[in-house]
């Protein structure tokens, strides 16, 4: 059994507080997040089947917003789980699906790194003065553990 991670109530609160401040505009931030990913890695657009057969501009693609939003939500849930149990507990069926979808689409470590960078940059932009090194660290830990959980299902 892996050692539980120590994730404090303060760290959890930083993640939740920042997500709450973004929630009312989450569609817009989700879109910015996605656009940042594509700015760094334009070829990543090929990985999203719903972008292939669509004529609508990226900005108006509803699925795109939904997808990106779920990355925020899952990282947030990971923070809650880390504080409660010291590990990320995602429903097994969800993890299996996420693992196989990322594997099938050829997602490798570098992709997860690009997404991490874009995620943190988006939250930084969204939170403005609230942003801090501690907030960045808390989101990073939550994201890394979520990714680790997904990767266990990518083999
Ligand atoms: C990976 N999987 C689903 C949605 C995403 C949104 C932005 C960046 C990466 C993603």
């Amino acid at each position: 059994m892996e050692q539980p991670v120590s994730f404090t109530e303060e760290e959890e609160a930083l993640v939740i507080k920042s997500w709450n401040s973004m929630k009312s505009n989450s569609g817009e931030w989700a879109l910015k997040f996605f656009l940042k990913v594509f700015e760094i890695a334009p070829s990543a657009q090929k990985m999203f089947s719903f972008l292939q057969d669509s004529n609508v501009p990226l900005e108006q693609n509803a699925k795109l917003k939904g997808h990106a939003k779920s990355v925020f939500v899952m990282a947030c849930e990971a923070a809650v789980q880390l504080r409660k149990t010291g590990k990320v507990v995602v429903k097994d069926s969800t993890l299996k699906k996420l693992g196989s979808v990322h594997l099938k689409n050829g997602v490798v470590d570098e992709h997860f790194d690009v997404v991490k960078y874009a995620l943190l940059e988006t939250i930084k932009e969204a939170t403005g003065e609230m942003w801090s090194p501690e907030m960045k660290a808390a989101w990073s830990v939550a994201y890394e553990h979520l990714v680790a959980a997904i990767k266990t299902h990518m083999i």
Side-chain angles (χ1 to χ4, degrees):
M1 202 36 206
E2 273 170 50
Q3 281 284 97
V5 178
S6 124
F7 197 81
T8 64
E9 274 181 40
E10 287 74 19
E11 290 170 299
E12 180 194 28
L14 285 170
V15 171
I16 294 181
K17 183 170 93 168
S18 43
W19 174 238
N20 279 341
S21 80
M22 298 168 69
K23 252 188 198 161
S24 59
N25 244 338
S26 62
E28 188 198 322
W29 294 116
L31 179 62
K32 283 209 171 186
F33 171 38
F34 238 116
L35 294 179
K36 270 193 218 294
V37 170
F38 295 154
E39 208 180 285
I40 307 168
S43 65
Q45 288 192 42
K46 289 199 289 283
M47 288 174 159
F48 296 89
S49 57
F50 60 82
L51 296 181
Q52 301 316 305
D53 27 56
S54 153
N55 297 317
V56 291
L58 287 179
E59 286 74 11
Q60 285 159 30
N61 194 306
K63 278 196 180 166
L64 191 142
K65 287 186 187 176
H67 269 63
K69 213 164 123 177
S70 67
V71 179
F72 285 111
V73 171
M74 291 198 78
C76 231
E77 285 168 357
V80 176
Q81 295 293 342
L82 281 175
R83 197 266 304 157
K84 276 191 188 159
T85 67
K87 58 183 178 171
V88 173
V89 184
V90 184
K91 218 170 75 186
D92 216 37
S93 54
T94 308
L95 260 191
K96 263 193 198 135
K97 222 164 76 188
L98 280 179
S100 69
V101 126
H102 286 96
L103 187 66
K104 192 182 78 187
N105 284 308
V107 175
V108 292
D109 288 353
E110 286 76 10
H111 295 114
F112 285 112
D113 293 343
V114 168
V115 170
K116 179 180 177 182
Y117 177 81
L119 181 84
L120 294 173
E121 282 293 304
T122 308
I123 300 165
K124 178 183 176 179
E125 201 180 320
T127 54
E129 298 206 332
M130 197 196 280
W131 183 247
S132 67
E134 292 77 19
M135 189 174 271
K136 181 179 182 179
W139 274 100
S140 298
V141 172
Y143 176 81
E144 288 296 347
H145 283 85
L146 173 63
V147 167
I150 294 173
K151 283 185 183 171
T152 62
H153 285 74
M154 283 178 71
I155 38 172

